[in-house]
Amino acid sequence: MVRHQPLQYYEPQLCLSCLTGIYGCRWKRYQRSHDDTTPMGLVVILASTVVAMSAVAQLWEDEWEVLLISLQGTAPFLHVGALAAVTVLSWIVAGQFARAERSSSQVTILCTFFAVVFALYLVPLTISSPCIMEKKDLGPRPALIGHRGAPMLAPEHTLMSFRKALEQKLYGLQVDITISLDGVPFLMHDVTLRRTTNVEEEFPELARRPAAMLNWTLLQRLNAGQWFLKTDPFWTASSLSPSDHREAQNQSICSLAELLELAKGNATLLLNLRDPPREHPYRSSFLNVTLEAVLRSGFPQHQVLWLPSRQRPLVRKVAPGFQQMSGSKEAVASLRRGHIQRLNLRYTQVSRQELRDYASWNLSVNLYTVNAPWLYSLLWCAGVPSVTSDNSHTLSQVPSPLWIMPPDEYCLMWVTADLISFTLIVGIFVFQNYHLIRWRLGGIRSYNPEQIMLSAAVRRTSRDVSIMKEKLIFSEISDGVEVSDEFSVCSDNSYDTYANSTITPVGPRRGGSSTKTLTDRSGR
C-alpha cells in the first residue's frame, strides 16, 4: 500500500501576506479611479498636450534647425551609443520573450525588436556629415570676425572690447552704427540705451527714448561698462583680472571715429547701419555722413565690408574699394548686378551644396553667430570662409576640427559596431532562452505538457514553478508509477535538475530484492 503525504508544505509568511493585501487594495483603488475617468477628461488632456507641443514648436523654431545641424557633427557617435543602448536593452527583451506563454506574443516581441535593431543598423546610410572626408581635402580654417568686438571679455561696442579682439589677431570686427541727434556716428546695437548703459540711473526720463535722439555730449556722460559686470551676460565677468575689471567699469560709448583710428591697418571692418527714427534730422543723410567719416579717417577701403543695401550705386561711386556684402540670399544674376562679393548669413540658412555653389561663383560667405567649437569645426569641414563670433578668444585656439574621419574608416567603424552588437544580442537571446531552445532541439515527443512548461519557466515565480512541479508528479502517478514514501520536492533553483533526475521507488523490504529504477523520459 502506498502512503500519500503532502506534496509541499507552504510556510505561513505574515509580512508577505500583509504587503500583498495592502498593494492589492491600492491596485483596486487605482483601477476604480481609472474606471471613473470620463471621456471629457481624456479630451482635455489631449487638447492640453497638443497646445503645449505647438507652443514648444514655435518657441524652438530656430532651435530645431540648430538640432539638425548638430546631428551632422554628432550622428556617427550617437549611432554607436544607440547600438550600445539597444544591445543592453536586448537583455530585458530576451527575458520578456522567455516569459511569454503564447507563441504569438513571442513572435510579436521578436519581430518588433529586431525590426528596430536592423533599422538602427542601416541608419548610417542616411548620415551625411561634412567631417566625413579625406584629410587632404580639408580647406583653410575659417577667418574670425569679432561680433561687436570681444563681448565675452569686455562690454560690447566699447574700445576695450575692440582692443581685446585685436589682441587675438582676428580677421575683422563687426559693428552696428547709428547717429546722434547732432550728427555724430557712434556704435550701438539696441534702439534704446537701457541694456548697455546706466541711462536709467543718470537720466530716467530719457531711458525709453531712442539712442539716436540724444546729443553726443549727453551720450558721452553715460557709463557703458557697469552693466556688463552686473548682468554678466556670458558668465565670464568673474574671469577678468582686477585691472580688466576696473577698465570695464569705466567704459563709455564708442564713436565711429575712435574705432576707425584703433582698427586702421589692424583689421577688416564689417559695417552695418542702424537707421535713426523718421523724425531724426539726419535720417536722409545718415549714410552720407557715415561714408564721409570712413573716408576722412583714411581707413583702407579694401578692408571695409559694406553690408547696408540702400544706395549701393552711390556707395560704389563714392567708395569703389569697399567690398559689397549682402545680408540675404538672392539669385546669382541679382548678386552680380549689384557687384556683391560676399554674403552675410545665419549659419542655419545655408547648406553644403549652396556653399559649393557660391564658391564656384566666386562669392565668399560669412556665417553668424558661431560660438561653439563643435559648430566651428563643422563649418570648417564644410569649407566656410569666415564666421562672426562672440567667442573668438576660444575659437582662435582651435588648432583643427574636433574630429575628421575618412569615409573608408567610417564604413569600417559602422560595420564593426553592427557586427559586435548583433553577436551580443544573439548571445543574450540564446542565454536567456536556453531551456526553450534545448526543448525544441531535443524533440517535442519526448516531453509531456507539464515538463515542457516546467523547463520553459526560466524566470517564473516560486509559486508558479511549484504548481508545475506538482502537475508533473501527478502525471507520473497517473501513469502507474510507484512513488517512494520518502519524497522530497526540489528547490526552486534546482527544478530543472529534478525534471531530469531519476526517481527510485522502494520495493518490499526483503533481502536481495532488486530495485526498480524509473528513468526520466527525456533520457530514453
Side-chain angles (χ1 to χ4, degrees):
M1 175 177 290
V2 178
R3 290 181 297 176
H4 296 280
Q5 292 185 352
L7 295 176
Q8 187 167 355
Y9 175 72
Y10 294 93
E11 296 180 359
Q13 299 182 6
L14 298 179
C15 181
L16 182 59
S17 300
C18 291
L19 289 176
T20 304
I22 292 172
Y23 282 104
C25 294
R26 292 180 63 86
W27 173 248
K28 281 297 182 183
R29 291 196 198 103
Y30 175 80
Q31 284 184 322
R32 290 169 183 170
S33 64
H34 279 62
D35 290 342
D36 296 338
T37 302
T38 61
M40 183 58 67
L42 297 177
V43 171
V44 171
I45 294 173
L46 181 60
S48 302
T49 304
V50 172
V51 172
M53 292 299 295
S54 301
V56 170
Q58 291 181 357
L59 292 174
W60 279 37
E61 184 176 359
D62 293 337
E63 301 301 328
W64 292 125
E65 297 178 351
V66 176
L67 178 62
L68 294 177
I69 293 177
S70 67
L71 289 178
Q72 297 182 18
T74 58
F77 308 101
L78 290 177
H79 174 248
V80 176
L83 289 180
V86 78
T87 303
V88 173
L89 184 63
S90 65
W91 181 270
I92 300 175
V93 176
Q96 293 294 330
F97 178 84
R99 295 185 187 97
E101 298 182 358
R102 298 181 180 179
S103 300
S104 59
S105 301
Q106 292 180 331
V107 171
T108 302
I109 294 173
L110 199 64
C111 292
T112 303
F113 179 72
F114 276 98
V116 173
V117 169
F118 284 116
L120 188 60
Y121 288 164
L122 298 178
V123 161
L125 293 176
T126 64
I127 293 177
S128 176
S129 174
C131 292
I132 301 178
M133 61 182 300
E134 297 291 343
K135 294 182 179 180
K136 61 182 179 63
D137 297 331
L138 181 65
R141 64 180 300 149
L144 289 172
I145 297 178
H147 187 227
R148 309 170 196 168
M152 288 190 178
L153 303 178
E156 65 180 55
H157 279 150
T158 61
L159 286 176
M160 178 183 178
S161 181
F162 296 129
R163 278 196 293 266
K164 289 290 184 181
L166 293 176
E167 289 174 1
Q168 302 163 22
K169 307 296 182 183
L170 301 185
Y171 168 73
L173 304 172
Q174 183 272 334
V175 297
D176 301 289
I177 306 171
T178 189
I179 191 168
S180 66
L181 191 62
D182 51 353
V184 178
F186 67 98
L187 309 181
M188 182 63 59
H189 175 269
D190 297 1
V191 174
T192 67
L193 301 165
R194 298 173 61 194
R195 182 177 68 90
T196 57
T197 68
N198 64 339
V199 66
E200 291 184 331
E201 300 174 4
E202 295 292 331
F203 309 104
E205 68 280 1
L206 304 177
R208 297 187 180 276
R209 182 176 295 187
M213 299 303 291
L214 300 178
N215 290 324
W216 177 242
T217 54
L218 187 63
L219 293 171
Q220 286 182 304
R221 295 170 56 183
L222 298 176
N223 186 291
Q226 292 178 355
W227 72 273
F228 176 79
L229 301 176
K230 291 180 180 178
T231 61
D232 196 6
F234 297 100
W235 303 285
T236 54
S238 59
S239 63
L240 298 180
S241 64
S243 60
D244 288 342
H245 193 278
R246 288 191 298 270
E247 183 180 1
Q249 198 168 14
N250 296 316
Q251 290 300 300
S252 58
I253 296 176
C254 180
S255 66
L256 176 61
E258 291 174 323
L259 171 64
L260 293 171
E261 187 64 28
L262 177 66
K264 185 187 298 183
N266 296 322
T268 298
L269 292 182
L270 197 167
L271 304 182
N272 185 31
L273 303 187
R274 298 283 179 176
D275 292 333
R278 294 183 180 275
E279 62 273 15
H280 197 282
Y282 289 90
R283 167 78 178 188
S284 59
S285 59
F286 170 44
L287 187 143
N288 294 331
V289 173
T290 304
L291 277 175
E292 291 175 4
V294 175
L295 296 176
R296 187 170 55 248
S297 68
F299 195 88
Q301 292 190 18
H302 69 277
Q303 289 186 323
V304 175
L305 306 180
W306 189 261
L307 186 58
S309 59
R310 293 190 299 112
Q311 302 182 18
R312 284 193 187 274
L314 174 63
V315 176
R316 289 199 308 272
K317 182 179 179 180
V318 175
F322 285 5
Q323 299 184 54
Q324 298 296 322
M325 176 177 278
S326 174
S328 60
K329 296 167 64 175
E330 302 177 21
V332 181
S334 176
L335 295 174
R336 288 178 176 174
R337 283 195 303 269
H339 300 275
I340 302 299
Q341 299 168 275
R342 293 172 178 264
L343 293 176
N344 188 53
L345 305 172
R346 179 173 166 80
Y347 64 87
T348 57
Q349 294 178 325
V350 62
S351 63
R352 293 172 59 191
Q353 183 59 45
E354 289 174 330
L355 287 172
R356 287 191 288 265
D357 293 340
Y358 289 140
S360 64
W361 298 329
N362 200 24
L363 288 172
S364 181
V365 179
N366 178 72
L367 300 182
Y368 64 89
T369 304
V370 178
N371 294 331
W374 69 264
L375 181 57
Y376 181 71
S377 300
L378 192 69
L379 298 178
W380 186 348
C381 294
V384 174
S386 62
V387 299
T388 301
S389 176
D390 297 320
N391 195 20
S392 56
H393 64 286
T394 299
L395 300 186
S396 61
Q397 303 299 320
V398 177
S400 61
L402 297 183
W403 69 275
I404 185 170
M405 188 182 302
D408 294 340
E409 292 184 10
Y410 175 64
C411 289
L412 179 62
M413 182 188 74
W414 163 31
V415 174
T416 303
D418 286 356
L419 290 176
I420 293 175
S421 172
F422 183 74
T423 303
L424 291 176
I425 289 174
V426 171
I428 289 172
F429 266 82
V430 171
F431 178 78
Q432 289 270 40
N433 299 272
Y434 168 72
H435 298 283
L436 185 61
I437 295 173
R438 189 180 65 176
W439 159 61
R440 290 184 175 177
L441 293 179
I444 191 172
R445 294 183 178 179
S446 61
Y447 286 82
N448 60 35
E450 288 77 11
Q451 287 173 321
I452 294 173
M453 291 298 297
L454 182 60
S455 60
V458 180
R459 299 289 182 187
R460 299 284 183 181
T461 61
S462 59
R463 181 177 179 276
D464 294 338
V465 174
S466 301
I467 292 174
M468 284 188 281
K469 289 177 184 177
E470 294 172 1
K471 288 182 178 181
L472 178 59
I473 295 171
F474 276 119
S475 67
E476 297 291 348
I477 292 176
S478 63
D479 290 339
V481 180
E482 295 182 358
V483 183
S484 171
D485 292 337
E486 300 294 330
F487 180 77
S488 61
V489 180
C490 298
S491 64
D492 293 343
N493 296 329
S494 61
Y495 64 86
D496 195 48
T497 306
Y498 164 78
N500 296 307
S501 62
T502 302
I503 303 176
T504 307
V506 180
R509 298 181 180 179
R510 293 196 304 266
S513 63
S514 59
T515 303
K516 296 182 180 180
T517 302
L518 178 62
T519 306
D520 185 275
R521 291 187 180 185
S522 62
R524 293 180 182 178

